[in-house]
Amino acid sequence: LMFGKARTCNIVTVPEHEPAECNVVVLGVMGVGKSALTVKFLTKRFISEYDPNLEDTYSTEEIVDQQPVHVRVMDTADQHGPVNCERYLGWASAFLIVYSIESQRSFEGCQQYLEAVTLYTKGLQPEAPVLLIGNKVDMERYRQVSKTDGSALASRYGCLFFEVSACLDFLSVQHIFHEAIREVRRE
Ligand code: GDP
Ligand code: MG
């Protein structure tokens, strides 16, 4: 259990365990913008060129709904779909599975991650939340994956769904990470 179950009353929420922590792993095929989303969340900036093979884990202190949380983000860099998943399956308290709305291939690739991750999370108590993210909505002109298809895939796997862009506003990128944290708190 990564997150203390919170006991809620009308005025304050009292966490029973400290410190609150949340480990978020970012998954998806190469080039969908995992690093761009991670860096945007951490720095508010869009970095357009990022080493495609670099996998790293970053830490940040966040306040989500007035409550502090220590967030770690693992920006993965798989070259051949979901392999060596052991490195994050047990570690993660939430999964962000990313595709690019301008790449049908990336949408197919993300389904392998959905399969691998949900197969694992199904057995967990509490179940770790999975969020499906369609990135690069600024590339609307080149869209290959409809919002309907993204949303249908998400509901098939019982996960939340968001479309976003790493190069547009910071708040919508922050929102998906904060939603992941809220989902972990709800578990
Ligand atoms: P990763 O392999 O999933 O980590 O992908 P990167 O974050 O390295 O991004 C791959 C490429 O897509 C880079 O050229 C980024 O500049 C670009 N990119 C990432 N996110 C976006 C986005 O939201 N919109 C656009 N237009 N390009 C993006
Ligand atoms: Mg990357």
Side-chain angles (χ1 to χ4, degrees), residues 40-89:
K40 180 83 163 201
F41 171 60
L42 295 165
T43 69
K44 300 194 170 77
R45 292 198 177 87
F46 175 65
I47 309 291
S48 65
E49 288 310 321
Y50 207 80
D51 180 352
N53 300 314
L54 185 69
E55 174 161 308
D56 215 338
T57 301
Y58 307 90
S59 285
T60 177
E61 303 294 333
E62 292 286 310
I63 307 284
V64 181
D65 303 330
Q66 291 83 50
Q67 291 196 58
V69 53
H70 184 82
V71 184
R72 293 186 203 88
V73 183
M74 186 191 294
D75 172 28
T76 63
D78 288 337
Q79 300 190 11
H80 307 287
V83 287
N84 302 325
C85 311
E86 312 77 41
R87 72 188 189 283
Y88 52 73
L89 282 178

Side-chain angles (χ1 to χ4, degrees), residues 120-135:
Y120 173 80
T121 58
K122 282 275 178 299
L124 291 184
Q125 199 54 255
E127 212 173 278
V130 182
L131 288 73
L132 181 65
I133 311 296
N135 187 36

